[in-house]
Amino acid sequence: MGHIRADKPAASCAGCLAWGQLPGRFCRGCYTYGQTHAVAACAGCRREVAVPEEHGYCRLCRAQATWAIKADGAVGRDSLLLPFLRQVTHQQLFFANLQRPRNGGPPVGKAGRRGLRTALPAAPAPPSTAWHQPELTPASRDFSRFDRTLHGDLANPRLIRARSEARTLGEARGWTRWTASDVDRALVIVLSGHVEGEVIRYSEIFPALRGRGLSVGHTAEVLGRLGLFADDRVPAVDRWLERKLDGVAPGIRRAVEDWARTLLDGGPRALPRTRGTARGYMNEVQPMLLEWSGQYDHLREVTRTDILAARDATAGKQREGRVVALRSLFRHAKKTGQVFKDPTTRISIPRPVGPVMQPLEQIDVDQAVTAATRPHARLILALAAVHAARPGMIRAIQLDDVDLGNRLITIADHIRPLDDLTHRMLVDWLDHRRTRWPNTANPHLLITQKSAVGSGPVGQLWATEATRNLSANLERLRVDRQLEEALTHGPDPLHLSLVFGIDEKTAIRYAASARQLLEQSAEASTVASPRTHGSSPSQHGNEPPGSR
């Protein structure tokens, strides 16, 4: 409402009904409008106001009809105005100086109407090319300061593409809605300010996402599928070798590092060994490497005398392990041409006779059965106690390895028939798996809540949790099963190798233990039997011999 001055009274305009300070009966607009039109009764509102002769409607009724045309979506021409004018029976009242501005902008009062802001045309997107300017120095971005309300850019084309890729991957992997939501939040944080050619590093996203409780692995997988991710972490193997070979001479270090990597990754004519074997070999040879580095510059300078001195410095099992590790090192060095002669050749060590394997007590087996209360624990226990499967073999079993129709199961590429107990445990676990994770795409038989959204096997600690601190753990159950087979069907190494798919040397060791147990059992039964006892002199008293 306009400001009212004390020297001029406020009144309502007889033409437009606007309330304000009027010089007379009509406001300035109606006065100017009425100079060219005769005063007559409006055909719409029936008021005596200035009315144009062509329509017979006043100014307010014409404005009301124009607003109705705009609301209806029509174009305000004279040919369309008359039907809307006939529908006008009243006007919308308004206050003075508060009408909608002609240019559509907001009213501003005494400061006058602001000028129109012409919308600038959107800048065209730069053409996507295969080449981009490489950065001079890698500058890390700080995603921990991200605020969605201030920095979120949901229209970023790379973010749109990444969110679509995450939905596709989530459907294929069976992600839960919580996992999909966390990955979507992480992508918004990482890609809101992304530009063409920028690479996101693991060291940049790890602190920001881990601090918010978001999945770093799933986010990195989505970014890797789009070619936007660079894993700048130092491999654990490199850190381990750097720590173990610290202080070793450069010439010796190169040969030992090549040997260690061959143990872990394999070679042209060498199969990879387990991490435990590689770490054990390195722990055995590290003290000698440090000692030799003070005298020699290369492994070619190591003599047979040095190997014998290293062997005689230890005793028992440690001496055997040290000689085996040194033999593996120098055999690899000679095969790759790093040494001319193997100094460990024809160095033998007396192998101690292994102890006789003993079967488990029934009370220990019952304790393990009682501890396995969950479906996965019962299945793992049955695979170890019936099929003599190692924990690593159990974790690697996939759904394609189980054939319930033909009652067969494949464990470590060895096909075994399914007994009734294992068949029942498998059916119970598969029912639980289908109910608990109906959308998972993990091909492994055993899965957890964490591995259900991925494709890898379960962890070792989870698989051995039920029987970890018991006397009858999974390893003891496996040994007891193979020993029980040798005791029942005879100490035949060939039979053990065919049934369990084990190595010939391992089968011979089990057969030897079973043979000794059977001999001890036969001797004990012979001593306990009364028919094997001869007559003693005390049984006949003082009778002279031959009296009977």
Side-chain angles (χ1 to χ4, degrees):
M1 184 179 295
H3 295 277
I4 299 177
R5 296 176 55 183
D7 57 344
K8 290 186 178 181
S12 177
C13 175
C16 62
L17 305 180
W19 181 268
Q21 294 174 344
L22 307 178
R25 182 182 175 188
F26 296 92
C27 65
R28 184 171 55 183
C30 292
Y31 182 78
T32 304
Y33 184 78
Q35 287 181 343
T36 57
H37 300 85
V39 177
C42 175
C45 59
R46 305 300 180 182
R47 293 184 299 113
E48 293 289 337
V49 291
V51 177
E53 298 179 355
E54 62 269 20
H55 292 302
Y57 291 88
C58 65
R59 176 185 177 189
L60 279 183
C61 292
R62 290 176 60 86
Q64 190 73 23
T66 304
W67 293 342
I69 290 176
K70 293 180 179 179
D72 193 62
V75 182
R77 297 196 301 263
D78 292 341
S79 59
L80 296 177
L81 186 62
L82 187 58
F84 286 92
L85 280 173
R86 294 173 180 174
Q87 300 176 6
V88 175
T89 57
H90 62 280
Q91 296 90 24
Q92 177 67 41
L93 299 181
F94 55 91
F95 292 99
N97 298 328
L98 292 182
Q99 299 94 333
R100 183 180 300 173
R102 292 181 182 177
N103 55 14
V108 295
K110 295 170 60 178
R113 189 172 288 114
R114 295 192 184 101
L116 285 175
R117 291 185 178 181
T118 58
L120 297 177
S128 178
T129 59
W131 180 89
H132 62 276
Q133 177 67 34
E135 55 184 354
L136 182 62
T137 57
S140 59
R141 295 179 56 186
D142 187 9
F143 295 105
S144 60
R145 300 177 179 271
F146 179 83
D147 187 353
R148 189 181 181 110
T149 58
L150 299 177
H151 310 132
D153 183 13
L154 302 182
N156 191 301
R158 281 154 290 278
L159 174 58
I160 296 175
R161 183 183 173 191
R163 297 175 83 176
S164 175
E165 183 68 24
R167 286 191 295 269
T168 305
L169 183 62
E171 293 175 358
R173 295 287 178 82
W175 288 356
T176 62
R177 58 188 180 94
W178 297 281
T179 303
S181 176
D182 290 345
V183 173
D184 186 78
R185 288 175 53 199
L187 292 176
V188 172
I189 294 173
V190 173
L191 296 177
S192 286
H194 191 270
V195 296
E196 181 71 25
E198 183 181 4
V199 178
I200 300 172
R201 301 174 179 84
Y202 185 91
S203 58
E204 298 173 349
I205 66 175
F206 180 81
L209 301 186
R210 181 56 63 89
R212 291 176 169 86
L214 303 177
S215 174
V216 182
H218 295 323
T219 307
E221 185 177 4
V222 174
L223 296 176
R225 285 172 169 262
L226 301 178
L228 305 176
F229 180 71
D231 192 352
D232 57 350
R233 292 177 294 176
V234 178
V237 175
D238 295 345
R239 296 196 302 267
W240 172 64
L241 289 175
E242 184 69 26
R243 185 174 63 255
K244 288 295 182 181
L245 299 180
D246 186 20
V248 179
I252 299 177
R253 177 170 182 160
R254 286 192 296 269
V256 175
E257 185 174 354
D258 182 64
W259 166 66
R261 293 188 181 278
T262 304
L263 287 177
L264 291 171
D265 303 331
R269 299 187 65 180
L271 296 176
R273 310 295 293 272
T274 62
R275 290 185 177 272
T277 301
R279 291 179 183 273
Y281 282 4
M282 183 61 71
N283 291 335
E284 291 293 341
V285 302
Q286 184 187 20
M288 283 82 72
L289 296 178
L290 295 175
E291 181 181 353
W292 295 339
S293 297
Q295 306 175 14
Y296 310 128
D297 295 330
H298 202 276
L299 285 180
R300 290 191 293 265
E301 305 177 43
V302 179
T303 63
R304 181 183 178 85
T305 305
D306 298 326
I307 302 298
L308 293 175
R311 183 198 65 177
D312 298 337
T314 58
K317 194 70 175 177
Q318 185 179 2
R319 178 175 59 181
E320 179 183 356
R322 176 168 294 186
V323 173
V324 170
L326 289 173
R327 190 178 296 163
S328 174
L329 170 62
F330 281 96
R331 282 180 179 176
H332 174 78
K334 184 178 179 180
K335 188 192 331 184
T336 55
Q338 299 179 15
V339 297
F340 302 113
K341 185 178 180 180
D342 184 3
T344 63
T345 305
R346 293 186 298 275
I347 293 182
S348 60
I349 51 175
R351 291 183 176 271
V353 179
V356 179
M357 302 178 187
Q358 299 295 328
L360 286 172
E361 298 291 340
Q362 185 61 37
I363 187 174
D364 297 332
V365 178
D366 295 340
Q367 188 179 7
V369 173
T370 305
T373 57
R374 304 178 65 182
H376 75 272
R378 291 194 292 268
L379 175 59
I380 293 173
L381 188 68
L383 292 174
V386 178
H387 299 273
R390 295 180 181 271
M393 298 177 182
I394 298 174
R395 293 163 48 213
I397 298 176
Q398 299 191 0
L399 293 174
D400 295 339
D401 298 330
V402 179
D403 188 357
L404 293 179
N406 296 322
R407 300 179 73 90
L408 296 174
I409 184 171
T410 304
I411 302 176
D413 298 331
H414 184 70
I415 302 176
R416 295 288 309 276
L418 273 177
D419 57 290
D420 293 337
L421 175 62
T422 310
H423 185 272
R424 187 167 64 253
M425 296 298 103
L426 271 172
V427 172
D428 293 344
W429 164 249
L430 291 176
D431 290 341
H432 174 77
R433 185 184 191 271
R434 182 171 56 253
T435 305
R436 181 66 177 82
W437 299 285
N439 299 323
T440 182
N442 195 315
H444 291 82
L445 175 65
L446 294 173
I447 58 175
T448 61
Q449 183 176 357
K450 182 178 180 180
S451 65
V453 296
S455 58
V458 297
Q460 182 178 1
L461 294 178
W462 180 86
T464 60
E465 180 181 7
T467 60
R468 187 178 307 153
N469 297 323
L470 301 179
S471 300
N473 53 26
L474 296 182
E475 185 64 21
R476 289 291 306 276
L477 288 170
R478 181 188 66 84
V479 173
D480 182 76
R481 173 66 183 93
Q482 295 179 151
L483 185 60
E484 185 265 343
E485 184 74 18
L487 291 173
T488 304
H489 296 275
D492 184 5
L494 181 59
H495 174 76
L496 294 177
S497 180
L498 292 176
V499 171
F500 299 106
I502 57 179
D503 187 74
E504 293 81 0
K505 295 181 179 180
T506 305
I508 292 174
R509 188 156 49 90
Y510 277 102
S513 296
R515 187 177 298 107
Q516 295 186 33
L517 289 175
L518 291 175
E519 292 176 356
Q520 295 174 5
S521 176
E523 293 176 359
S525 62
T526 302
V527 173
S529 177
R531 299 190 178 189
T532 60
H533 291 264
S535 59
S536 61
S538 60
Q539 294 176 351
H540 304 286
N542 297 325
E543 297 180 0
S547 60
R548 297 192 179 191

